[in-house]
Amino acid sequence: MSEMDYLELLIRRYPALSPVRDSILAAYETMKECYENGGTLLVAGNGGSCADSEHIVGELMKGFVKPRRVSEEFARALAQADPERGPELAAKLQGGLPAIALTGHNGLTTAFANDVDSSMAFAQQLNGYGRKGDVFLGISTSGNSANVMYAMAVAKAKGIRTIALTGRDGGAMGRSADVAVIVPETETYMIQELHLPVYHALCLMLEEHFFK
C-alpha cells in the first residue's frame, strides 16, 4: 500500500473523519518533513492521551507492520563491533523513526514538579530535548490542557513545528498549533476512540514512506 492508500482506508473505515482528512494529511506532511531532515517527534498528553503518546512512540521506534530490517552496511558494522553479538543484533534490530514521549521520565518530571512547577514539566523537557526542525505533537481531547499548552509555547519559541490532536472545538491548542486535527466528537471517550485510528494511520503512512 502507498501512504495515500492508508489515508483513504482510514476515511473509508471511519467516515466521521472525512471533514478532517486534509488536516490529517497536513500532519503527515509535517512529520515526514521532520524525519527527512533528521528531526525528532516529541509527544505529550495527559491520562488517556498520555497512553496514546507512549503508543505512538512504540509504533514509530520499531516495526509496525513492516520488519524494517537494518541495512547491510549497518549489519557489517555490528559484526565488526562485536563478532559474537553483532550478527544477532543485525537479525533482530529494526529501523526506528526518532520519537520521544514526554510523559515518562518520572525522576525528571517529579523533581521538576517538586522544585519548580508540575504544570511545566513537559515544557522543561521540550526546552531540553527540542531542536529547530523537530515536531511537537500535543494530544488533548479538550485542546485546553495547560501543561501541553506550556510545551507548545516553548516549541514555538524554539522554531519547532506543532501539531494538535484534539476534539470539540479544538480549544487553545487548535488555535495555536501549526496543524490541528480536531476530530468531530465532543465526549472525551468518543474523541479518544477517533484519535487512535488517526495516529495509527499517520504511523503507517510514515513507515510506508521511510521503509520500502
Side-chain angles (χ1 to χ4, degrees):
M1 293 177 67
S2 70
E3 297 103 301
M4 294 307 297
D5 287 337
Y6 280 118
L7 179 58
E8 298 311 323
L9 176 61
L10 171 70
I11 300 304
R12 285 199 303 273
R13 295 186 65 205
Y14 299 91
L17 293 171
S18 295
V20 295
R21 179 190 179 281
D22 289 347
S23 60
I24 296 170
L25 180 58
Y28 164 67
E29 294 291 347
T30 300
M31 295 164 73
K32 180 179 75 170
E33 182 180 355
C34 165
Y35 283 131
E36 286 177 338
N37 293 313
T40 298
L41 180 69
L42 306 159
V43 196
N46 302 295
S49 299
C50 167
D52 288 332
S53 300
E54 298 282 354
H55 191 164
I56 290 167
V57 170
E59 307 297 20
L60 292 173
M61 284 287 289
K62 58 173 286 297
F64 188 2
V65 298
K66 291 188 171 187
R68 303 192 193 178
R69 299 196 183 283
V70 301
S71 68
E72 292 183 6
E73 179 182 6
F74 188 48
R76 288 193 296 270
L78 286 166
Q80 291 174 354
D82 188 327
E84 179 183 350
R85 299 169 184 83
E88 183 181 9
L89 284 165
K92 293 181 179 178
L93 288 181
Q94 300 176 329
L97 294 170
I100 301 172
L102 307 181
T103 51
H105 317 123
N106 290 335
L108 168 60
T109 54
T110 54
F112 195 80
N114 184 65
D115 298 344
V116 187
D117 188 334
S118 62
S119 66
M120 296 185 186
F122 293 156
Q124 175 62 30
Q125 290 186 73
L126 254 179
N127 189 42
Y129 288 127
R131 300 290 182 269
K132 187 173 183 179
D134 292 342
V135 169
F136 174 60
L137 171 59
I139 310 174
S140 168
T141 56
S142 68
N144 293 313
S145 297
N147 55 356
V148 182
M149 277 302 301
Y150 279 128
M152 191 163 285
V154 171
K156 286 180 168 292
K158 293 177 74 76
I160 294 169
R161 296 272 291 171
T162 57
I163 301 171
L165 182 56
T166 71
R168 299 175 190 164
D169 64 355
M173 287 172 53
R175 294 186 293 273
S176 177
D178 295 309
V179 177
V181 180
I182 306 169
V183 302
E185 287 291 354
T186 57
E187 290 288 343
T188 296
Y189 74 92
M190 293 183 181
I191 296 168
Q192 291 170 333
E193 286 171 356
L194 289 180
H195 279 181
L196 187 148
V198 167
Y199 67 69
H200 265 176
L202 290 170
C203 292
L204 288 163
M205 293 167 77
L206 290 165
E207 183 176 68
E208 182 62 31
H209 180 79
F210 288 100
F211 300 97
K212 299 300 183 183

